[in-house]
Coordinates of all heavy atoms in Angstrom, one line a residue:
M1 N 15.9 -147.6 -4.9 CA 14.8 -146.9 -5.6 C 15.0 -145.4 -5.6 O 15.6 -144.9 -4.7 CB 13.5 -147.2 -4.8 CG 13.1 -148.6 -4.9 SD 11.4 -148.7 -5.5 CE 11.3 -150.4 -5.9
G2 N 14.5 -144.8 -6.6 CA 14.6 -143.3 -6.8 C 13.7 -142.6 -5.8 O 12.7 -143.1 -5.3
R3 N 14.1 -141.4 -5.5 CA 13.3 -140.6 -4.6 C 12.1 -140.0 -5.3 O 12.1 -139.6 -6.4 CB 14.2 -139.4 -4.2 CG 13.7 -138.5 -3.1 CD 14.7 -137.4 -2.7 NE 14.0 -136.2 -2.3 CZ 13.8 -135.2 -3.1 NH1 14.2 -135.1 -4.3 NH2 13.1 -134.1 -2.6
V4 N 11.0 -140.1 -4.6 CA 9.7 -139.5 -5.1 C 9.8 -138.0 -5.1 O 10.1 -137.4 -4.1 CB 8.5 -140.0 -4.3 CG1 7.2 -139.4 -4.8 CG2 8.4 -141.5 -4.4
T5 N 9.5 -137.4 -6.2 CA 9.5 -135.9 -6.3 C 8.2 -135.4 -5.9 O 7.2 -135.9 -6.3 CB 9.9 -135.5 -7.8 OG1 11.0 -136.2 -8.2 CG2 10.0 -134.0 -7.9
D6 N 8.3 -134.3 -5.1 CA 7.0 -133.6 -4.7 C 6.4 -133.0 -5.9 O 7.1 -132.6 -6.9 CB 7.3 -132.5 -3.7 CG 7.7 -133.0 -2.3 OD1 7.5 -134.2 -2.1 OD2 8.2 -132.2 -1.5
V7 N 5.1 -132.9 -5.9 CA 4.3 -132.3 -7.0 C 4.0 -130.9 -6.7 O 3.7 -130.6 -5.5 CB 3.0 -133.1 -7.2 CG1 2.1 -132.4 -8.2 CG2 3.3 -134.5 -7.7
R8 N 4.2 -130.1 -7.6 CA 3.9 -128.6 -7.5 C 3.0 -128.2 -8.6 O 3.2 -128.5 -9.7 CB 5.2 -127.8 -7.6 CG 5.1 -126.4 -7.5 CD 6.4 -125.6 -7.6 NE 7.1 -125.9 -6.3 CZ 8.4 -126.1 -6.2 NH1 9.2 -126.0 -7.3 NH2 9.0 -126.3 -5.0
H9 N 1.9 -127.6 -8.2 CA 0.9 -127.1 -9.2 C 1.1 -125.6 -9.3 O 1.2 -124.9 -8.3 CB -0.5 -127.4 -8.7 CG -0.8 -128.9 -8.5 ND1 -0.9 -129.8 -9.5 CD2 -0.8 -129.6 -7.3 CE1 -1.1 -131.0 -9.0 NE2 -1.1 -130.9 -7.6
V10 N 1.0 -125.1 -10.5 CA 1.2 -123.7 -10.8 C -0.1 -123.2 -11.5 O -0.4 -123.6 -12.6 CB 2.4 -123.4 -11.6 CG1 2.5 -121.9 -11.9 CG2 3.7 -123.9 -10.9
L11 N -0.8 -122.3 -10.8 CA -2.0 -121.7 -11.4 C -1.7 -120.3 -11.9 O -1.0 -119.6 -11.1 CB -3.2 -121.7 -10.4 CG -3.8 -123.0 -10.0 CD1 -2.9 -123.7 -8.9 CD2 -5.2 -122.8 -9.4
V12 N -2.0 -120.0 -13.1 CA -1.6 -118.7 -13.7 C -2.9 -117.9 -13.7 O -3.9 -118.3 -14.3 CB -1.1 -118.9 -15.2 CG1 -0.7 -117.6 -15.8 CG2 0.1 -119.9 -15.2
L13 N -2.8 -116.7 -13.1 CA -3.9 -115.8 -13.0 C -3.6 -114.4 -13.6 O -2.4 -114.1 -13.7 CB -4.3 -115.6 -11.5 CG -5.0 -116.8 -10.8 CD1 -6.3 -117.2 -11.5 CD2 -4.1 -117.9 -10.5
P14 N -4.6 -113.7 -14.1 CA -4.4 -112.4 -14.8 C -3.9 -111.3 -13.9 O -3.3 -110.4 -14.4 CB -5.8 -112.1 -15.4 CG -6.7 -112.8 -14.5 CD -6.1 -114.0 -14.0
D15 N -4.2 -111.3 -12.6 CA -3.7 -110.2 -11.8 C -3.6 -110.6 -10.3 O -4.0 -111.8 -10.0 CB -4.7 -109.0 -11.9 CG -6.1 -109.4 -11.6 OD1 -6.4 -110.1 -10.6 OD2 -7.0 -108.9 -12.4
R16 N -3.1 -109.8 -9.5 CA -2.9 -110.1 -8.1 C -4.2 -110.4 -7.3 O -4.2 -111.3 -6.5 CB -2.1 -108.9 -7.4 CG -1.8 -109.3 -6.0 CD -1.0 -108.2 -5.3 NE -0.6 -108.7 -4.0 CZ 0.6 -108.5 -3.5 NH1 1.5 -107.9 -4.2 NH2 0.9 -109.0 -2.3
D17 N -5.2 -109.6 -7.6 CA -6.5 -109.8 -6.9 C -7.0 -111.2 -7.2 O -7.4 -111.9 -6.2 CB -7.5 -108.8 -7.3 CG -7.2 -107.4 -6.8 OD1 -6.5 -107.3 -5.8 OD2 -7.8 -106.5 -7.4
A18 N -7.0 -111.7 -8.4 CA -7.5 -113.0 -8.7 C -6.6 -114.1 -8.0 O -7.1 -115.1 -7.5 CB -7.4 -113.2 -10.2
A19 N -5.2 -113.9 -8.0 CA -4.3 -114.8 -7.4 C -4.6 -114.9 -5.9 O -4.6 -116.0 -5.3 CB -2.9 -114.4 -7.6
E20 N -4.8 -113.8 -5.3 CA -5.2 -113.8 -3.8 C -6.5 -114.5 -3.5 O -6.6 -115.2 -2.6 CB -5.2 -112.3 -3.3 CG -3.8 -111.7 -3.2 CD -3.8 -110.3 -2.8 OE1 -4.8 -109.6 -2.8 OE2 -2.7 -109.8 -2.4
E21 N -7.5 -114.3 -4.4 CA -8.8 -114.9 -4.2 C -8.6 -116.5 -4.3 O -9.1 -117.2 -3.5 CB -9.8 -114.4 -5.2 CG -10.3 -113.1 -4.9 CD -11.2 -112.5 -6.0 OE1 -11.9 -113.4 -6.7 OE2 -11.3 -111.3 -6.2
V22 N -7.8 -116.9 -5.3 CA -7.6 -118.3 -5.5 C -6.9 -118.9 -4.3 O -7.2 -120.0 -3.8 CB -6.8 -118.6 -6.8 CG1 -6.3 -120.0 -6.9 CG2 -7.8 -118.3 -8.0
A23 N -5.8 -118.2 -3.8 CA -5.1 -118.7 -2.7 C -6.0 -118.8 -1.4 O -5.8 -119.7 -0.6 CB -3.9 -117.7 -2.4
E24 N -6.9 -117.9 -1.3 CA -7.8 -117.9 -0.1 C -8.8 -119.1 -0.2 O -9.2 -119.6 0.8 CB -8.6 -116.6 0.0 CG -7.7 -115.5 0.5 CD -8.5 -114.1 0.5 OE1 -9.7 -114.1 0.3 OE2 -7.8 -113.1 0.6
E25 N -9.2 -119.5 -1.5 CA -10.2 -120.6 -1.7 C -9.6 -122.0 -1.5 O -10.3 -122.9 -1.2 CB -10.8 -120.4 -3.1 CG -11.7 -119.3 -3.2 CD -12.4 -119.2 -4.5 OE1 -12.8 -120.3 -5.1 OE2 -12.5 -118.1 -5.1
L26 N -8.3 -122.1 -1.8 CA -7.6 -123.4 -1.8 C -7.8 -124.2 -0.5 O -8.1 -125.4 -0.6 CB -6.1 -123.3 -2.1 CG -5.9 -123.0 -3.6 CD1 -4.4 -122.5 -3.8 CD2 -6.1 -124.2 -4.4
P27 N -7.6 -123.6 0.7 CA -7.8 -124.4 1.9 C -9.3 -125.0 2.1 O -9.4 -126.2 2.4 CB -7.5 -123.4 3.0 CG -6.6 -122.4 2.4 CD -7.1 -122.3 1.0
D28 N -10.3 -124.2 1.8 CA -11.6 -124.6 1.9 C -12.1 -125.6 0.9 O -12.7 -126.6 1.2 CB -12.6 -123.4 1.9 CG -12.5 -122.5 3.1 OD1 -12.0 -123.0 4.1 OD2 -12.8 -121.3 3.0
R29 N -11.7 -125.4 -0.4 CA -12.1 -126.2 -1.5 C -11.3 -127.5 -1.6 O -11.8 -128.5 -2.0 CB -12.1 -125.5 -2.8 CG -13.2 -124.5 -2.8 CD -13.2 -123.7 -4.1 NE -13.5 -124.5 -5.3 CZ -13.8 -123.9 -6.5 NH1 -13.9 -122.6 -6.6 NH2 -14.0 -124.6 -7.6
F30 N -10.0 -127.4 -1.2 CA -9.1 -128.6 -1.5 C -8.4 -129.1 -0.2 O -7.6 -130.0 -0.3 CB -8.1 -128.2 -2.6 CG -8.7 -127.9 -3.9 CD1 -9.0 -126.6 -4.2 CD2 -9.0 -128.9 -4.8 CE1 -9.5 -126.3 -5.5 CE2 -9.5 -128.7 -6.0 CZ -9.8 -127.3 -6.4
G31 N -8.6 -128.4 0.9 CA -7.9 -128.8 2.1 C -6.4 -128.6 2.1 O -5.7 -129.3 2.8
V32 N -6.0 -127.7 1.3 CA -4.6 -127.3 1.2 C -4.1 -126.8 2.6 O -4.7 -125.9 3.2 CB -4.3 -126.3 0.2 CG1 -2.9 -125.8 0.2 CG2 -4.6 -126.8 -1.2
R33 N -3.1 -127.4 3.2 CA -2.6 -127.0 4.5 C -1.6 -126.0 4.5 O -1.5 -125.1 5.4 CB -2.1 -128.3 5.2 CG -3.2 -129.2 5.6 CD -2.7 -130.4 6.3 NE -3.4 -131.6 5.8 CZ -2.8 -132.6 5.2 NH1 -1.5 -132.7 5.1 NH2 -3.5 -133.6 4.8
E34 N -0.7 -126.0 3.5 CA 0.4 -125.0 3.4 C -0.1 -123.8 2.7 O -0.8 -123.9 1.7 CB 1.6 -125.6 2.7 CG 2.3 -126.7 3.5 CD 3.6 -127.1 2.8 OE1 4.3 -126.3 2.2 OE2 4.0 -128.3 3.0
Q35 N 0.4 -122.7 3.1 CA 0.0 -121.4 2.4 C 0.6 -121.4 1.0 O 1.8 -121.6 0.8 CB 0.6 -120.2 3.2 CG 0.3 -118.9 2.6 CD -1.2 -118.6 2.6 OE1 -1.9 -119.0 3.5 NE2 -1.7 -117.8 1.7
P36 N -0.2 -121.3 0.0 CA 0.3 -121.2 -1.4 C 1.2 -120.0 -1.6 O 1.0 -119.0 -0.9 CB -1.0 -121.1 -2.3 CG -2.1 -121.4 -1.4 CD -1.7 -121.2 0.0
Q37 N 2.1 -120.1 -2.5 CA 3.1 -119.0 -2.7 C 2.5 -118.2 -3.9 O 2.1 -118.7 -5.0 CB 4.4 -119.6 -3.1 CG 5.5 -118.6 -3.4 CD 6.8 -119.2 -3.7 OE1 6.9 -120.4 -3.9 NE2 7.8 -118.4 -3.9
L38 N 2.5 -116.9 -3.8 CA 2.1 -116.0 -4.8 C 3.4 -115.4 -5.5 O 4.3 -114.9 -4.8 CB 1.2 -114.8 -4.3 CG -0.1 -115.2 -3.7 CD1 -0.8 -114.0 -3.2 CD2 -0.9 -116.0 -4.6
V39 N 3.4 -115.4 -6.8 CA 4.6 -115.0 -7.5 C 4.2 -114.1 -8.7 O 3.3 -114.5 -9.5 CB 5.4 -116.2 -8.0 CG1 6.7 -115.7 -8.8 CG2 5.8 -117.1 -6.9
R40 N 4.7 -112.9 -8.8 CA 4.5 -112.0 -9.9 C 5.3 -112.5 -11.1 O 6.5 -112.7 -10.9 CB 4.8 -110.6 -9.6 CG 4.5 -109.6 -10.7 CD 4.9 -108.2 -10.3 NE 4.7 -107.3 -11.4 CZ 5.7 -106.9 -12.2 NH1 6.9 -107.5 -12.1 NH2 5.4 -106.1 -13.2
D41 N 4.7 -112.7 -12.2 CA 5.4 -113.2 -13.4 C 5.3 -112.1 -14.5 O 4.3 -112.1 -15.3 CB 4.8 -114.5 -13.9 CG 5.5 -115.1 -15.0 OD1 6.7 -114.9 -15.1 OD2 4.8 -115.8 -15.8
A42 N 6.2 -111.2 -14.6 CA 6.2 -110.1 -15.6 C 6.3 -110.8 -17.0 O 7.2 -111.6 -17.2 CB 7.3 -109.1 -15.3
L43 N 5.6 -110.3 -17.9 CA 5.7 -110.8 -19.3 C 7.0 -110.3 -19.9 O 7.4 -109.2 -19.6 CB 4.5 -110.3 -20.1 CG 3.1 -110.8 -19.6 CD1 2.0 -110.2 -20.4 CD2 3.0 -112.3 -19.6
A44 N 7.6 -111.1 -20.8 CA 8.9 -110.7 -21.3 C 8.9 -109.3 -21.9 O 8.0 -109.0 -22.7 CB 9.2 -111.7 -22.4
G45 N 9.8 -108.5 -21.5 CA 10.0 -107.2 -22.1 C 9.1 -106.1 -21.5 O 9.1 -105.0 -21.9
E46 N 8.3 -106.5 -20.5 CA 7.3 -105.6 -19.9 C 7.7 -105.2 -18.4 O 8.0 -106.1 -17.7 CB 5.9 -106.2 -19.9 CG 5.3 -106.5 -21.2 CD 5.1 -105.3 -22.1 OE1 4.9 -104.2 -21.5 OE2 5.1 -105.4 -23.3
D47 N 7.7 -103.9 -18.2 CA 8.1 -103.5 -16.8 C 6.9 -103.1 -16.0 O 6.9 -102.9 -14.8 CB 9.1 -102.3 -16.9 CG 10.4 -102.8 -17.4 OD1 10.8 -103.9 -17.1 OD2 11.1 -102.0 -18.1
D48 N 5.8 -102.8 -16.7 CA 4.6 -102.3 -16.1 C 3.8 -103.4 -15.3 O 3.6 -104.5 -15.8 CB 3.6 -101.7 -17.2 CG 2.4 -101.0 -16.6 OD1 2.2 -101.1 -15.4 OD2 1.8 -100.3 -17.4
A49 N 3.5 -103.1 -14.1 CA 2.8 -104.1 -13.2 C 1.5 -104.5 -13.9 O 1.0 -105.6 -13.6 CB 2.6 -103.6 -11.8
E50 N 0.9 -103.7 -14.7 CA -0.4 -104.1 -15.3 C -0.2 -105.2 -16.3 O -1.2 -105.9 -16.7 CB -1.0 -102.8 -16.0 CG -1.4 -101.7 -15.1 CD -2.4 -102.1 -14.1 OE1 -3.4 -102.8 -14.5 OE2 -2.3 -101.8 -12.9
D51 N 1.0 -105.4 -16.8 CA 1.3 -106.4 -17.8 C 1.9 -107.7 -17.1 O 2.7 -108.4 -17.8 CB 2.3 -105.9 -18.8 CG 1.7 -104.8 -19.7 OD1 0.5 -104.9 -20.0 OD2 2.4 -103.8 -20.0
A52 N 1.5 -107.9 -15.9 CA 2.1 -109.1 -15.2 C 1.0 -110.1 -14.9 O -0.2 -109.7 -14.7 CB 2.7 -108.6 -13.9
Q53 N 1.3 -111.3 -15.0 CA 0.5 -112.4 -14.6 C 0.9 -112.8 -13.2 O 2.0 -112.5 -12.8 CB 0.6 -113.7 -15.5 CG 0.2 -113.4 -16.9 CD 0.5 -114.6 -17.8 OE1 1.5 -115.4 -17.6 NE2 -0.3 -114.8 -18.8
W54 N 0.1 -113.4 -12.4 CA 0.4 -113.8 -11.1 C 0.3 -115.4 -11.1 O -0.6 -115.9 -11.6 CB -0.5 -113.2 -10.1 CG 0.0 -111.8 -9.8 CD1 -0.2 -110.7 -10.6 CD2 0.8 -111.3 -8.7 NE1 0.3 -109.6 -10.0 CE2 1.0 -110.0 -8.9 CE3 1.4 -112.0 -7.6 CZ2 1.7 -109.2 -8.0 CZ3 2.1 -111.2 -6.7 CH2 2.3 -109.9 -6.9
L55 N 1.2 -116.0 -10.4 CA 1.2 -117.4 -10.2 C 0.9 -117.8 -8.8 O 1.3 -117.1 -7.9 CB 2.6 -118.0 -10.6 CG 3.2 -117.5 -11.9 CD1 4.6 -118.2 -12.0 CD2 2.4 -117.9 -13.1
V56 N 0.1 -118.8 -8.6 CA -0.2 -119.4 -7.3 C 0.4 -120.8 -7.4 O 0.0 -121.6 -8.1 CB -1.7 -119.5 -7.1 CG1 -2.0 -120.1 -5.7 CG2 -2.4 -118.1 -7.1
V57 N 1.5 -120.9 -6.5 CA 2.2 -122.2 -6.5 C 1.7 -123.0 -5.3 O 1.8 -122.5 -4.1 CB 3.7 -121.9 -6.4 CG1 4.5 -123.2 -6.4 CG2 4.2 -121.0 -7.6
V58 N 1.2 -124.2 -5.6 CA 0.7 -125.1 -4.5 C 1.5 -126.4 -4.4 O 1.6 -127.1 -5.4 CB -0.8 -125.4 -4.8 CG1 -1.4 -126.3 -3.7 CG2 -1.6 -124.2 -5.1
E59 N 2.1 -126.6 -3.3 CA 2.8 -127.8 -3.1 C 1.8 -129.0 -2.8 O 0.8 -128.8 -2.1 CB 3.8 -127.7 -1.9 CG 4.8 -126.6 -2.1 CD 5.8 -126.9 -3.2 OE1 6.0 -128.1 -3.6 OE2 6.3 -125.9 -3.7
D60 N 2.0 -130.1 -3.4 CA 1.1 -131.3 -3.2 C 2.0 -132.6 -3.0 O 2.0 -133.5 -3.9 CB 0.3 -131.4 -4.5 CG -0.8 -132.5 -4.4 OD1 -1.1 -132.9 -3.3 OD2 -1.3 -132.9 -5.5
P61 N 2.7 -132.6 -1.9 CA 3.6 -133.8 -1.6 C 2.8 -135.1 -1.6 O 3.5 -136.1 -1.9 CB 4.3 -133.4 -0.3 CG 3.3 -132.4 0.4 CD 2.7 -131.7 -0.8
E62 N 1.6 -135.1 -1.2 CA 0.9 -136.4 -1.1 C 0.1 -136.7 -2.4 O -0.5 -137.7 -2.5 CB -0.2 -136.2 0.0 CG 0.5 -136.1 1.4 CD -0.4 -135.6 2.5 OE1 -1.7 -135.5 2.2 OE2 0.0 -135.3 3.6
R63 N 0.3 -135.8 -3.4 CA -0.3 -136.1 -4.7 C -1.8 -136.4 -4.6 O -2.3 -137.3 -5.2 CB 0.4 -137.2 -5.5 CG 1.8 -136.9 -5.7 CD 2.6 -138.1 -6.3 NE 4.0 -137.8 -6.6 CZ 4.5 -137.7 -7.8 NH1 3.8 -137.8 -8.8 NH2 5.8 -137.4 -7.9
R64 N -2.5 -135.5 -3.9 CA -3.9 -135.8 -3.7 C -4.8 -134.7 -4.4 O -6.1 -134.9 -4.4 CB -4.2 -135.8 -2.2 CG -4.0 -134.6 -1.4 CD -4.3 -134.8 0.1 NE -4.2 -133.5 0.8 CZ -5.1 -132.5 0.7 NH1 -6.2 -132.7 0.0 NH2 -4.9 -131.4 1.3
L65 N -4.3 -133.7 -4.9 CA -5.1 -132.6 -5.5 C -5.4 -133.0 -6.9 O -4.6 -133.5 -7.7 CB -4.3 -131.3 -5.5 CG -4.0 -130.7 -4.1 CD1 -3.2 -129.4 -4.2 CD2 -5.2 -130.5 -3.3
D66 N -6.7 -132.7 -7.3 CA -7.2 -133.0 -8.6 C -6.9 -131.9 -9.6 O -7.3 -130.8 -9.4 CB -8.8 -133.2 -8.5 CG -9.4 -133.5 -9.8 OD1 -8.9 -133.3 -10.9 OD2 -10.6 -134.0 -9.7
R67 N -6.1 -132.3 -10.6 CA -5.6 -131.2 -11.6 C -6.8 -130.6 -12.3 O -6.8 -129.4 -12.6 CB -4.6 -131.9 -12.6 CG -3.3 -132.2 -11.9 CD -2.2 -132.6 -12.9 NE -2.1 -131.7 -14.0 CZ -1.4 -130.6 -14.0 NH1 -0.8 -130.2 -12.9 NH2 -1.3 -129.8 -15.0
T68 N -7.8 -131.4 -12.6 CA -8.9 -130.9 -13.4 C -9.7 -129.8 -12.5 O -10.1 -128.8 -13.0 CB -9.9 -132.0 -13.8 OG1 -9.2 -132.9 -14.6 CG2 -11.1 -131.5 -14.5
A69 N -9.9 -130.2 -11.2 CA -10.6 -129.2 -10.3 C -9.7 -128.0 -10.1 O -10.3 -126.9 -10.0 CB -10.8 -129.9 -9.0
L70 N -8.4 -128.1 -10.0 CA -7.5 -126.9 -9.9 C -7.7 -126.0 -11.2 O -7.7 -124.8 -11.1 CB -6.1 -127.3 -9.7 CG -5.8 -127.9 -8.3 CD1 -4.3 -128.4 -8.3 CD2 -5.9 -126.8 -7.2
D71 N -7.7 -126.6 -12.3 CA -7.8 -125.9 -13.6 C -9.2 -125.2 -13.6 O -9.3 -124.1 -14.0 CB -7.7 -126.9 -14.8 CG -7.5 -126.1 -16.1 OD1 -6.8 -125.0 -16.1 OD2 -8.1 -126.6 -17.1
E72 N -10.2 -125.9 -13.1 CA -11.5 -125.2 -13.1 C -11.6 -124.0 -12.2 O -12.2 -123.0 -12.5 CB -12.6 -126.3 -12.7 CG -12.9 -127.3 -13.8 CD -13.7 -128.5 -13.3 OE1 -14.1 -128.5 -12.1 OE2 -14.0 -129.3 -14.1
L73 N -10.9 -124.2 -11.0 CA -10.8 -123.0 -10.1 C -10.1 -121.9 -10.8 O -10.6 -120.7 -10.7 CB -10.1 -123.4 -8.8 CG -9.7 -122.3 -7.8 CD1 -11.0 -121.6 -7.3 CD2 -8.9 -122.8 -6.7
A74 N -9.0 -122.1 -11.4 CA -8.3 -121.0 -12.1 C -9.1 -120.4 -13.2 O -9.2 -119.2 -13.3 CB -7.0 -121.6 -12.7
A75 N -9.9 -121.3 -13.9 CA -10.7 -120.8 -15.0 C -11.8 -119.8 -14.5 O -12.2 -118.9 -15.2 CB -11.3 -121.9 -15.8
E76 N -12.3 -120.1 -13.3 CA -13.3 -119.3 -12.7 C -12.8 -117.8 -12.5 O -13.6 -116.9 -12.3 CB -13.8 -119.8 -11.3 CG -14.6 -121.1 -11.4 CD -14.8 -121.7 -10.0 OE1 -14.7 -121.0 -9.0 OE2 -15.1 -122.9 -10.0
H77 N -11.5 -117.7 -12.4 CA -10.8 -116.4 -12.2 C -10.0 -116.0 -13.4 O -9.0 -115.2 -13.3 CB -9.9 -116.5 -11.0 CG -10.6 -116.8 -9.7 ND1 -11.2 -115.8 -8.9 CD2 -11.0 -118.0 -9.1 CE1 -11.8 -116.4 -7.9 NE2 -11.7 -117.7 -8.0
E78 N -10.5 -116.5 -14.6 CA -9.9 -116.2 -15.9 C -8.4 -116.6 -16.0 O -7.6 -115.9 -16.6 CB -10.0 -114.6 -16.2 CG -11.5 -114.2 -16.3 CD -11.7 -112.8 -16.5 OE1 -10.7 -112.1 -17.0 OE2 -12.8 -112.3 -16.2
G79 N -8.1 -117.7 -15.4 CA -6.7 -118.2 -15.5 C -6.7 -119.7 -15.9 O -7.7 -120.2 -16.4
W80 N -5.6 -120.3 -15.7 CA -5.4 -121.7 -16.1 C -4.4 -122.4 -15.2 O -3.6 -121.8 -14.5 CB -5.1 -121.9 -17.5 CG -3.7 -121.3 -17.9 CD1 -2.5 -122.0 -17.9 CD2 -3.4 -120.0 -18.3 NE1 -1.5 -121.1 -18.2 CE2 -2.0 -119.9 -18.5 CE3 -4.2 -118.8 -18.5 CZ2 -1.4 -118.7 -18.9 CZ3 -3.5 -117.7 -18.9 CH2 -2.2 -117.6 -19.1
L81 N -4.4 -123.7 -15.2 CA -3.4 -124.5 -14.6 C -2.3 -124.9 -15.5 O -2.5 -125.4 -16.6 CB -4.0 -125.8 -14.0 CG -3.1 -126.8 -13.3 CD1 -2.5 -126.2 -12.0 CD2 -3.8 -128.1 -13.0
E82 N -1.0 -124.5 -15.2 CA 0.1 -124.8 -16.1 C 0.3 -126.3 -16.2 O 0.1 -127.0 -15.2 CB 1.3 -124.2 -15.4 CG 2.2 -123.2 -16.0 CD 2.2 -122.8 -17.4 OE1 1.3 -122.1 -17.8 OE2 3.1 -123.1 -18.1
A83 N 0.6 -126.7 -17.4 CA 0.9 -128.2 -17.7 C 2.2 -128.5 -16.9 O 3.1 -127.7 -16.8 CB 1.0 -128.4 -19.1
P84 N 2.3 -129.8 -16.4 CA 3.5 -130.2 -15.7 C 4.7 -130.2 -16.6 O 4.6 -130.3 -17.8 CB 3.1 -131.5 -15.1 CG 1.9 -132.0 -15.9 CD 1.3 -130.8 -16.5

């Protein structure tokens, strides 16, 4: 049988503050045990930090996180959940 691939959720946020807030809320709202990874995603051709989105990467090896609820959390902070 094939190996089961871990699930990774990527929430896209408009700035670092929003990404940090979302990362802080994940353990309480979803019981996330591992620290989410924050990644700066500069828009193509832009060097200015103001033109960067931030990604919150959440590992979900047990496939227990609700994608709709994650998308709603991101939307509360003017972001969205990336499609798989």
Side-chain angles (χ1 to χ4, degrees):
M1 293 232 163
R3 185 176 152 260
V4 175
T5 306
D6 289 346
V7 173
R8 176 177 292 144
H9 304 284
V10 179
L11 292 81
V12 182
L13 286 303
D15 56 45
R16 183 180 188 132
D17 290 341
E20 288 175 346
E21 287 177 27
V22 167
E24 288 175 10
E25 289 183 43
L26 285 165
D28 291 338
R29 287 178 67 167
F30 297 96
V32 172
R33 291 181 221 121
E34 288 187 33
Q35 180 68 28
Q37 180 181 7
L38 300 180
V39 179
R40 181 179 176 271
D41 184 31
L43 301 175
E46 299 293 337
D47 293 327
D48 189 347
E50 296 299 316
D51 294 323
Q53 295 173 329
W54 282 78
L55 310 178
V56 177
V57 181
V58 184
E59 300 295 335
D60 186 17
E62 297 166 4
R63 298 175 181 251
R64 61 181 190 76
L65 299 178
D66 180 339
R67 291 188 52 79
T68 301
L70 288 171
D71 191 40
E72 289 170 358
L73 172 61
E76 290 172 19
H77 298 273
E78 300 179 19
W80 66 89
L81 178 66
E82 244 339 80

